[in-house]
Amino acid sequence: LLAADIQGKVTAIGEEAAELEGREPEGIHVIRPIRGGVIYDPTGALRLLKAALKQRFLLSGSPNLLLAVSTQTAALDERSWLELGRQAGGHETYLVSQLLAAALGAGVPVLEPKAQLMLHFGAGSCEAGVVALGSCLKADRSRLGGDLITSSMLEFIRHKYGLVTHRRSIEKLKFELDVTKIDSQSNKANMWGRRVEDGQPTCMEIDKSELANHIHPMIDQWCSWVQQFISELPVEWLEDVRDGGLILTGGSAALKGLPTLLSERLGLKVQ
């Protein structure tokens, strides 16, 4: 996410921009220039990358850039990413599979011939793959990401409770739900928002079990997709997959109980 003023000056990125979404000061707008690993707004994406480089690294000169992208990125999108790195001031820009990058971050010896099953559950999409020998040997992608679950929860609360609430509040509530407990969530949640019928501010008590039931079909669909991916792996890799288990990464991987649910469904250890 990126927050900028009408002149295009960046005022916040990432979590700071997310806090402003839906409550932007006058003259500030929040945009999402990159969605599901695809650059939708090149100008906004360039501002985001430049701001991230300046904020995180404070580099001078022209650094080499390594950008993690989807394993199934199309050739046209690859050129867009490379051009983005060049415009951001990179001396040389390289692209790497986000699954391979995640495996490196998790300490997987990716240059060895042993196959490691990876699952990246991001905001805009989900990607499953097997890495070994310094590359991603097989991968598949699903459009079911964390943002889709959040949007579905927003609509459910709007229709069920007649309440329009802030997306950020729903994001926080989403990570409080235990996806392994459909009908037995620990408590209810107080949610502030605006009544649909008259636009007045109000606080309502939201049943967490109802929300868990609502998102369960999406989580179930996602787990089935992972099972299908594993069922299509070459038999030669299965022993490695059994020994190495599944490494789960991405922001949406923090959903409460998700590793336990996946382990039960797949019969693999999940970390």
Side-chain angles (χ1 to χ4, degrees), residues 155-196:
E155 283 302 307
F156 176 80
I157 290 176
R158 178 186 178 92
H159 290 289
K160 174 72 177 181
Y161 294 91
L163 183 70
V164 178
T165 189
H166 189 223
R167 187 180 186 89
R168 192 67 175 165
S169 300
I170 296 297
E171 281 281 347
K172 293 177 180 177
L173 179 59
K174 179 178 70 177
F175 290 106
E176 294 176 8
L177 301 178
D178 190 334
V179 297
T180 64
K181 299 177 181 179
I182 305 305
D183 297 308
S184 57
Q185 298 296 317
S186 58
N187 51 27
K188 299 180 183 295
N190 291 322
M191 185 70 63
W192 277 94
R194 185 178 67 248
R195 287 197 299 258
V196 172

Side-chain angles (χ1 to χ4, degrees), residues 24-211:
E24 300 94 328
E26 185 176 355
I28 300 295
H29 60 283
V30 176
I31 60 174
R32 192 183 298 269
I34 302 170
R35 285 170 274 170
V38 177
I39 300 174
Y40 279 81
D41 179 355
T43 301
L46 179 59
R47 289 172 180 164
L48 177 61
L49 181 55
K50 282 184 173 181
L53 289 172
K54 181 179 179 180
Q55 183 182 92
R56 304 298 182 186
F57 303 107
L58 300 175
L59 294 175
S60 59
S62 300
N64 290 331
L65 302 180
L66 181 64
L67 305 179
V69 300
S70 169
T71 305
Q72 298 185 317
T73 299
L76 180 61
D77 290 328
E78 285 187 357
R79 289 195 292 272
S80 296
W81 282 107
L82 292 171
E83 178 63 16
L84 177 67
R86 187 192 66 79
Q87 292 182 2
H91 176 66
E92 294 286 351
T93 300
Y94 305 93
L95 304 182
V96 62
S97 158
Q98 62 184 2
L99 292 176
L100 188 60
L104 285 167
V108 175
V110 297
L111 295 179
E112 295 184 2
K114 187 173 183 178
Q116 175 62 58
L117 181 63
M118 302 293 300
L119 184 60
H120 182 82
F121 194 8
S125 64
C126 176
E127 194 166 28
V130 175
V131 299
L133 298 172
S135 66
C136 190
L137 305 180
K138 180 180 174 65
D140 193 17
R141 191 179 184 189
S142 169
R143 287 296 181 184
L144 179 56
D147 282 346
L148 190 61
I149 295 175
T150 301
S151 296
S152 181
M153 290 173 64
L154 278 167
E155 283 302 307
F156 176 80
I157 290 176
R158 178 186 178 92
H159 290 289
K160 174 72 177 181
Y161 294 91
L163 183 70
V164 178
T165 189
H166 189 223
R167 187 180 186 89
R168 192 67 175 165
S169 300
I170 296 297
E171 281 281 347
K172 293 177 180 177
L173 179 59
K174 179 178 70 177
F175 290 106
E176 294 176 8
L177 301 178
D178 190 334
V179 297
T180 64
K181 299 177 181 179
I182 305 305
D183 297 308
S184 57
Q185 298 296 317
S186 58
N187 51 27
K188 299 180 183 295
N190 291 322
M191 185 70 63
W192 277 94
R194 185 178 67 248
R195 287 197 299 258
V196 172
E197 59 182 355
D198 57 13
Q200 293 301 303
T202 187
C203 181
M204 291 188 179
E205 192 175 68
I206 306 297
D207 190 327
K208 287 186 177 180
S209 292
E210 287 184 341
L211 280 175

